Amino acid sequence: AQAAFQKSGRRLSMNSEESMSRLDRTDRDLAVIEVRVGEIVALIESSTPRSLVTFRTELAQLESKAKQLEVKGVDDVYTSELQSGKELAKQTKKDMLRRLDILFSKLEATFAQIKAKLPG
């Protein structure tokens, strides 16, 4: 998002640049989590009970990281005082919150799927 803004020939203020840099880091961290959750989801059907327990633990850790990202990487980026990058930052935050909602729903469904596959 920031690259597209810069291609337009406009420059971000120092505060906007800092906020967008934080959001870019959060975006990369979120993408890593999304990819790993997708990999685990793809492996569940053919997994042993032992692997399922391992995946459940890893998914819980990924969920915790995602919640930390939501609080520290998205909600903590304030846009009210930004000027040049205000709309870009707001849109980026909105997109990440949407992705986080999708991720949390996927995690919830995956936990239920694992629970259903485990004996007892």
Side-chain angles (χ1 to χ4, degrees):
Q2 187 175 357
F5 181 86
Q6 290 172 336
K7 283 182 183 177
S8 72
R10 296 176 59 199
R11 292 191 43 86
L12 294 172
S13 67
M14 185 71 91
N15 285 344
S16 293
E17 184 76 38
E18 184 179 311
S19 293
M20 288 308 301
S21 182
R22 286 180 64 196
L23 289 170
D24 282 347
R25 280 192 304 276
T26 300
D27 180 66
R28 286 191 301 274
D29 292 344
L30 177 56
V32 169
I33 293 170
E34 289 169 324
V35 166
R36 183 59 187 149
V37 169
E39 290 170 350
I40 291 171
V41 167
L43 294 171
I44 287 177
E45 277 307 312
S46 62
S47 295
T48 64
R50 175 180 264 165
S51 294
L52 290 172
V53 171
T54 301
F55 288 149
R56 184 176 59 192
T57 301
E58 185 177 353
L59 287 170
Q61 291 169 345
L62 291 169
E63 181 180 41
S64 176
K65 286 180 185 178
K67 286 180 180 178
Q68 287 176 339
L69 278 180
E70 182 176 29
V71 172
K72 294 189 187 302
V74 180
D75 292 343
D76 269 6
V77 177
Y78 298 105
T79 59
S80 59
E81 296 181 17
L82 300 181
Q83 297 299 318
S84 60
K86 185 174 190 167
E87 286 307 311
L88 178 62
K90 285 172 72 173
Q91 187 59 43
T92 301
K93 286 177 65 169
K94 183 178 176 180
D95 179 59
M96 276 193 265
L97 290 172
R98 180 190 56 77
R99 288 170 54 203
L100 283 160
D101 281 344
I102 292 167
L103 178 65
F104 292 137
S105 294
K106 184 182 260 186
L107 285 164
E108 188 176 319
T110 306
F111 283 126
Q113 185 181 7
I114 290 172
K115 183 177 181 179
K117 288 185 67 67
L118 285 173

